[in-house]
Amino acid sequence: MFERIPRGIFKARTGLMPDVACSFSDVVSLRDLDPERIVQVHVMSREYLIALLSGISLEGAPDTHPYRGCTVEMMQMDPRDLAIGQTFVQRAKYQELLERFGSILGNGFCTRSGIAQCGPLIVFGYDGSGVPCVAHYVPPIIEATGNRRFLIDGIHRNYVVRSVGGTIESVLIRDVSIPLPCDPVLWDEVRIVDEKPPRPDRFRNLRRELFRNTKFAGIDG
């Protein structure tokens, strides 16, 4: 679950302050914004994206940032070419992507709002309680080592695109020196579940101290 981040804490973690015209209180998940009260949508600059990714920490070492100094590329990826960390997808999550994702940004903004082509965005609006907030949309995050492509964040989006066929806009990160947080699995081993399994069952040979904490930097896939 994504825990909202007060703006001051977000700035301390990432060095960033989103350049939106209105004041905001917290950084939240995109799904926490009221789709009818989204006010601004900004294309994320490359500089901002790299700073945001650099703010990601390890779960077991909040002061360790695995993506600092790494090479970052935007690339259309075929989900079939990826190794996966997570051993399951939740039925409710991929159904929500199909039924709701396009409507979040598609009502009034001339941006690619589908999960296959949507690039990094900064979104300003109001949550369900009327509090002004900022959310980030970051495409699936993939670590590249040699010819291997390992999906770190975004399994549900990749599952949907794999099911219909096609490619998905992704963030490819090279030159990561820290080992992967779990052993890779293949798509054939991924289960569809109604409830999220206990954490030890979500990954194969999880090394929790190496888990990439994307939510620490305000990214919720």
Side-chain angles (χ1 to χ4, degrees), residues 26-67:
D26 300 317
V27 174
V28 299
S29 169
L30 185 59
R31 62 173 57 91
D32 291 332
L33 292 181
D34 182 346
E36 302 300 322
R37 301 191 69 191
I38 291 177
V39 179
Q40 299 175 31
V41 177
H42 298 262
V43 175
M44 193 180 294
S45 70
R46 178 175 178 80
E47 180 182 14
Y48 190 104
L49 173 64
I50 290 173
L52 195 64
L53 295 170
S54 296
I56 293 173
S57 67
L58 295 184
E59 185 169 300
D63 293 329
T64 300
H65 303 274
Y67 301 142

Side-chain angles (χ1 to χ4, degrees), residues 85 87 181-186 189 200-207:
T87 62
C182 60
D183 294 344
V185 299
L186 302 176
E189 302 174 75
D201 298 333
R202 298 178 206 168
F203 306 91
R204 178 176 294 169
N205 192 22
L206 174 65
R207 294 170 286 279

Side-chain angles (χ1 to χ4, degrees), residues 147-182:
N147 293 324
R148 182 179 62 182
R149 304 288 186 270
F150 185 85
L151 181 63
I152 292 291
D153 182 69
I155 189 170
H156 292 88
R157 288 170 286 176
N158 273 272
Y159 176 81
V160 169
V161 172
R162 176 181 177 270
S163 298
V164 300
T167 60
I168 180 170
E169 186 74 1
S170 304
V171 178
L172 189 69
I173 305 177
R174 302 184 187 274
D175 308 320
V176 182
S177 61
I178 294 174
L180 293 171
C182 60

Side-chain angles (χ1 to χ4, degrees), residues 105-120:
L105 300 176
N107 297 331
F109 294 95
C110 298
T111 183
R112 291 179 174 179
S113 58
I115 58 174
Q117 296 186 330
C118 190

Side-chain angles (χ1 to χ4, degrees), residues 47-107:
E47 180 182 14
Y48 190 104
L49 173 64
I50 290 173
L52 195 64
L53 295 170
S54 296
I56 293 173
S57 67
L58 295 184
E59 185 169 300
D63 293 329
T64 300
H65 303 274
Y67 301 142
R68 286 187 178 173
C70 294
T71 301
V72 176
E73 303 175 42
M74 297 302 305
M75 185 177 296
Q76 284 280 325
M77 295 292 299
D78 187 333
R80 296 174 299 176
D81 295 336
L82 302 178
I84 307 142
Q86 205 162 285
T87 62
F88 73 99
V89 294
Q90 283 183 269
R91 184 173 281 108
K93 276 198 169 183
Y94 73 71
Q95 287 178 340
E96 181 184 30
L97 286 171
L98 289 169
E99 296 173 7
R100 186 170 180 265
F101 186 86
S103 66
I104 293 177
L105 300 176
N107 297 331

